[in-house]
Amino acid sequence: MNSSVPPAGGPISLGSPTDSVGPRIALYTEEFAADPHRVYREMRRRFGALVPIELAPGVPATLVIGYQIARRILNDPEHFPADPRYWQKRIPSDCPVLPLMEWRPNAFRSTGTDHARYRNPTVAALREVEMFSLHRMVERIAFPLINAFCETGTAEIISQYAYPLTFEVVNTLLGCPPDIGRRAAEALAALFDGVDTDQAHGALDAALADLAELRQKKPGNDITSRLLRHSACLDRTEMIAQLMSFYGAGIEPLQNLIVNTVRMLLTEDRFAGGLLGGSVTTHAALDEVLFTDPPLANLCTTFPRQPILIDGVWLPAHQPVVISMAACNNDPSVTADEYVDNSAHLAWSIGPHACPARSVAYLVAQDAVDQLLDALPDMRLAVPVEELTWRPGPFHRALTALPVVFPPAPALSHG
């Protein structure tokens, strides 16, 4: 990859790529949500690896759809820092993507020593999650959810299973009471959808502040309590920011990973038959989804401090550079030998901002899918797959609903 800064006093094209190629591609439309892979193919044909996009009306950015360029950017925080503070000065306060992109004192939006200050407590708190206990937790939560619909022969997997399961898992890990967790989850969903973002932003902050205050007074064996007692001595604002990272990464993306995996298993014969026959593992199915259609399709946003040349294109200073994990994973210029296997995908990111909760998320998603399919092995879609619809938004890959039918089954019981 060719990257450099411009010579002093020299002319600079600030396109990303240059705007002379025509209007930017909007990532927030229903048309994009309905078939993003078709749009990615068109992007690649017209622009190559770097695409001029809009994240919201009037919010320009560059989308990286080349696998190797994405790897270089994600491993180069010096030239591509995650700190958006200069950028957000020019963004209207009512911009629908601002709450998900603005600076917060957490690892996701920091660089250098600040990044280490915020990432270390997060890694330490996650390290104490005991995996066998987590497995039993998922099982304990999944059983009553499945029992609520298994005898009826029909269910909507998002509202009746994936959302309440991830909601309760994350709340339990964080030591969060259901009422506070519900407020946080509803606000976060509104932020992902770009709906009433000012109100949702305030509601999320208030819920997380209440959680931090509760665990300050009554500490326990949970992630929030571990963050509070870490030697980094996080203050109130920093605590809210860390908790927001856990909710942001723990409910919406995890819920969508479970749902997208169930959808794939119900619609692709090569997986359904192999899974039930034992020749394909759920872990492999999860990796297939993470590789081909990850729940966070476009994210890992960085903000170059100065104009930078990437493969012959000048990227502007302080304008978002967004990695399309979905498009990069499916980059046809990268051969199968270079990937080695599906675990080479970028869905967890790489470099200093790689997801520290990867093993936790894998276990929860795998157990959630296993419990559902073990209980209802003959489950199938209740509608043709082409009738499923996707929620619009530049960042996530999320169905609006996943209705299923199955032969009624007896309620599960703990052995």
Side-chain angles (χ1 to χ4, degrees):
M1 181 180 74
N2 178 23
S3 62
S4 64
V5 296
I12 301 170
S13 171
L14 295 185
S16 57
T18 174
D19 292 328
S20 63
V21 296
R24 293 173 176 270
I25 296 176
L27 262 59
Y28 50 86
T29 64
E30 292 184 2
E31 178 185 8
F32 174 75
D35 191 1
H37 290 285
R38 177 192 61 78
V39 181
Y40 295 141
R41 289 192 295 271
E42 178 65 13
M43 288 177 176
R44 211 179 302 277
R45 184 187 67 81
R46 291 178 58 192
F47 303 108
L50 300 166
V51 184
I53 61 166
E54 276 193 332
L55 295 170
V59 181
T62 298
L63 189 70
V64 180
I65 62 174
Y67 182 84
Q68 297 298 352
I69 291 178
R71 290 184 61 89
R72 291 289 298 272
I73 288 174
L74 293 170
N75 282 301
D76 187 6
E78 180 179 350
H79 291 102
F80 293 93
D83 189 330
R85 278 177 283 190
Y86 189 94
W87 166 80
Q88 72 188 53
K89 292 178 182 178
R90 300 174 292 169
I91 301 299
S93 61
D94 61 351
C95 174
V97 297
L98 182 60
L100 287 176
M101 296 179 65
E102 68 183 344
W103 180 83
R104 292 179 181 275
N106 60 29
F108 191 57
R109 288 285 173 247
S110 301
T111 302
T113 56
D114 286 341
H115 175 261
R117 168 174 166 76
Y118 301 132
R119 186 174 174 92
N120 289 342
T122 295
V123 172
L126 285 166
R127 192 180 297 126
E128 293 188 44
V129 174
E130 206 284 310
M131 290 304 195
F132 180 75
S133 297
L134 181 60
H135 168 77
R136 296 302 300 269
M137 180 200 304
V138 176
E139 182 182 77
R140 173 181 59 79
I141 294 169
F143 272 36
L145 293 173
I146 294 172
N147 284 345
F149 56 75
C150 66
E151 295 177 303
T152 69
T154 182
E156 197 288 292
I157 295 302
I158 298 176
S159 62
Q160 292 183 263
Y161 186 69
Y163 170 74
L165 185 144
T166 53
F167 170 80
E168 189 168 347
V169 167
V170 171
N171 284 340
T172 303
L173 288 173
L174 292 174
C176 182
D179 58 330
I180 296 177
R182 188 170 296 107
R183 289 159 51 199
E186 290 173 354
L188 191 67
L191 292 180
F192 269 99
D193 288 335
V195 177
D196 296 328
T197 53
D198 282 345
Q199 181 178 346
H201 189 277
L204 183 56
D205 274 7
L208 299 182
D210 288 349
L211 172 57
E213 182 178 355
L214 174 66
R215 287 296 154 233
Q216 184 74 61
K217 294 176 179 177
K218 297 180 179 180
N221 182 24
D222 54 72
I223 287 174
T224 304
S225 299
R226 292 172 205 144
L227 290 172
L228 285 164
R229 62 175 175 256
H230 192 272
S231 60
C233 298
L234 301 172
D235 63 26
R236 180 181 183 276
T237 302
E238 291 171 330
M239 273 298 303
I240 291 173
Q242 312 320 305
L243 294 173
M244 184 174 292
S245 295
F246 277 101
Y247 271 102
I251 294 184
E252 275 277 323
L254 182 54
Q255 162 194 307
N256 294 330
L257 175 58
I258 294 167
V259 172
N260 293 356
T261 302
V262 172
R263 170 191 170 273
M264 184 192 72
L265 292 172
L266 297 183
T267 57
E268 297 192 22
D269 291 340
R270 64 191 179 93
F271 272 95
L275 189 69
L276 296 176
S279 61
V280 175
T281 66
T282 307
H283 197 291
L286 289 168
D287 267 331
E288 176 80 1
V289 169
L290 290 165
F291 188 90
T292 59
D293 218 13
L296 283 177
N298 307 296
L299 205 64
C300 304
T301 309
T302 62
F303 304 82
R305 292 191 181 99
Q306 54 193 329
I308 187 167
L309 182 66
I310 303 292
D311 275 17
V313 175
W314 283 108
L315 302 184
H318 309 297
Q319 187 182 101
V321 175
V322 181
I323 304 297
S324 177
M325 285 80 79
C328 288
N329 290 345
N330 295 280
D331 183 351
S333 70
V334 181
T335 68
D337 291 340
E338 290 177 275
Y339 282 128
V340 180
D341 58 41
N342 279 355
S343 65
H345 58 70
L346 300 179
W348 305 108
S349 190
I350 57 172
H353 290 277
C355 177
R358 176 174 177 166
S359 59
V360 171
Y362 257 128
L363 187 149
V364 173
Q366 179 173 326
D367 280 357
V369 174
D370 281 342
Q371 294 293 339
L372 183 64
L373 296 183
D374 286 349
L376 303 169
D378 296 318
M379 185 169 57
R380 57 187 174 83
L381 286 185
V383 298
V385 64
E386 58 270 16
E387 292 185 13
L388 298 175
T389 58
W390 300 87
R391 287 160 49 194
F395 305 117
H396 58 201
R397 180 67 167 154
L399 284 168
T400 58
L402 186 65
V404 298
V405 294
F406 46 84
L412 303 172
S413 61
H414 287 279

